[in-house]
Amino acid sequence: MKNLSFEMIGRIGVVRINRPRALNALNKPTVEELDELIEKIKKDSEIKVLIIGSDNNFAAGADIKGMVNCNVEEAKDFSFSKTFQKIYNLEIPTIAAIDGYALGGGLELALACDFRIASTNAKVGFPEINLGIMPGAGGTIRAPRLLGVSRAKELIFFGEMISADRAEQMGLVNKIVEQEKLMEVVMEWAEKLCKKPPVALRVAKKTIDAGISEPKLNYAIKIEYENWADLFNTEDQKEGMRAFIEKRQPIYQGK
Ligand code: DAK
């Protein structure tokens, strides 16, 4: 991989974007590499949590120099939406570690993750409006669901960057930490998640994501009811409850 790096730290996969000279702006080859990597991660049962982060800057958006002369068909040909949707649909928990800029497509990449942890010097936003476009890789869909319609419109219509503090107040990031502690805290979250029962985590993620996009409340409740009951078919449920009764720590097998 030319524009990305990937390493395993125990059972945690860590992806980094590596185009520092362009503040990690996402060009087409980078997103294609990311797509191939996500396909591999999907099939790798050893990976329990995925972290996406980059040194100094998360990603300053899509590469404007690669888009400036695109026509409609060429614009569609960037695989951003498809790739970010694959990340959103991963069955394992995902965490975006945001240092520096997470703008435009960079913020959309972070929004495709389950959690966002940012350093105090993070700057996030949707500057697309200032370029004559709008967010197009999940931003107009995921931001309103996460923040509410009016807050999302504020970010998207004005195109201004906001501080990590403001992002936390809005609920755009889960937590902010000092820059030098960022990866330490992200790893702590990931390690904790590794100790949870994988099947229950997977089903909880699937149920939350199905519920949030299901307009009929009764139907959403039914999905939850079925998925909840199905967990009683797992060894992890027996282990978790027996461990509680026997006053010991559970050891989950992911079955
Ligand atoms: N693209 C290309 N190069 C970029 C870049 C970007 N997004 N951001 C920064 N760079 C480059 C700069 O051009 C510069 O390189 P040189 O020109 O010196 O070679 C280098 O990184 C350092 O940047 P600056 O000199 O500008 O650094 P500053 O500290 O002064 O400013 C900044 C940092 C982040 C405020 C500024 O660079 C900036 O405003 N960058 C642009 C941010 C932006 O507008 N991002 C949104 C891009 S639009 C799609 C769906 C969605 C999308 C694409 C496709 N499909 C469904 C297909 C997403 C679109 C976007 O994200």
Side-chain angles (χ1 to χ4, degrees):
M1 286 182 300
K2 220 174 121 228
N3 301 292
L4 297 179
S5 71
F6 178 73
E7 67 171 324
M8 286 294 292
I9 303 176
R11 293 173 296 171
I12 301 160
V14 183
V15 182
R16 289 189 176 85
I17 301 155
N18 190 18
R19 296 190 70 225
R21 270 178 295 149
L23 310 183
N24 294 323
L26 300 160
N27 60 2
K28 199 161 179 261
T30 307
V31 180
E32 283 167 358
E33 282 179 25
L34 183 60
D35 197 87
E36 278 171 34
L37 182 61
I38 297 300
E39 284 297 334
K40 288 190 188 135
I41 290 170
K42 237 161 72 176
K43 292 178 197 129
D44 189 337
S45 60
E46 295 301 305
I47 306 175
K48 301 298 178 202
V49 178
L50 180 69
I51 295 171
I52 303 180
S54 318
D55 296 333
N56 301 316
N57 288 294
F58 186 77
D63 194 306
I64 300 168
K65 294 167 191 168
M67 283 191 299
V68 57
N69 290 319
C70 282
N71 61 29
V72 172
E73 288 313 313
E74 286 161 343
K76 281 185 180 168
D77 199 35
F78 275 75
S79 68
F80 280 71
S81 288
K82 177 173 67 86
T83 305
F84 293 1
Q85 199 58 14
K86 283 185 189 176
I87 293 170
Y88 180 76
N89 285 328
L90 282 174
E91 293 187 329
I92 54 172
T94 52
I95 308 174
I98 305 177
D99 192 14
Y101 294 113
L103 303 174
L107 182 55
E108 290 176 308
L109 172 59
L111 282 172
C113 297
D114 296 315
F115 306 112
R116 284 151 293 286
I117 301 181
S119 75
T120 46
N121 70 335
K123 289 198 178 67
V124 305
F126 288 119
E128 287 91 336
I129 205 80
N130 306 319
L131 299 167
I133 56 169
M134 66 172 199
T140 68
I141 311 302
R142 286 194 242 277
R145 288 180 188 201
L146 185 66
L147 311 172
V149 170
S150 194
R151 290 245 190 269
K153 286 180 177 168
E154 187 184 327
L155 285 178
I156 292 169
F157 290 7
F158 289 98
E160 286 168 6
M161 280 186 251
I162 60 168
S163 66
D165 274 334
R166 180 84 182 110
E168 192 191 29
Q169 280 166 13
M170 273 190 180
L172 185 52
V173 302
N174 295 75
K175 187 177 177 71
I176 50 176
V177 293
E178 293 301 323
Q179 187 182 29
E180 57 278 13
K181 294 257 179 198
L182 178 62
M183 277 319 279
E184 191 183 316
V185 172
V186 171
M187 285 300 293
E188 276 170 20
W189 279 47
E191 295 286 0
K192 273 193 201 170
L193 288 164
C194 281
K195 296 198 180 94
K196 301 294 176 194
V199 184
L201 271 184
R202 188 166 71 229
V203 175
K205 175 166 174 168
K206 190 174 80 173
T207 308
I208 292 166
D209 291 340
I212 195 79
S213 46
E214 172 51 57
K216 292 194 184 111
L217 182 70
N218 283 345
Y219 186 62
I221 296 287
K222 171 120 178 46
I223 295 174
E224 183 196 54
Y225 171 77
E226 295 291 341
N227 288 352
W228 179 80
D230 280 350
L231 287 172
F232 285 74
N233 205 12
T234 65
E235 290 177 22
D236 285 353
Q237 173 267 324
K238 300 287 175 279
E239 169 63 10
M241 293 191 182
R242 278 181 194 139
F244 172 79
I245 293 163
E246 292 162 14
K247 300 191 188 301
R248 59 174 175 84
Q249 288 300 313
I251 301 165
Y252 293 116
Q253 303 295 333
K255 293 180 191 159

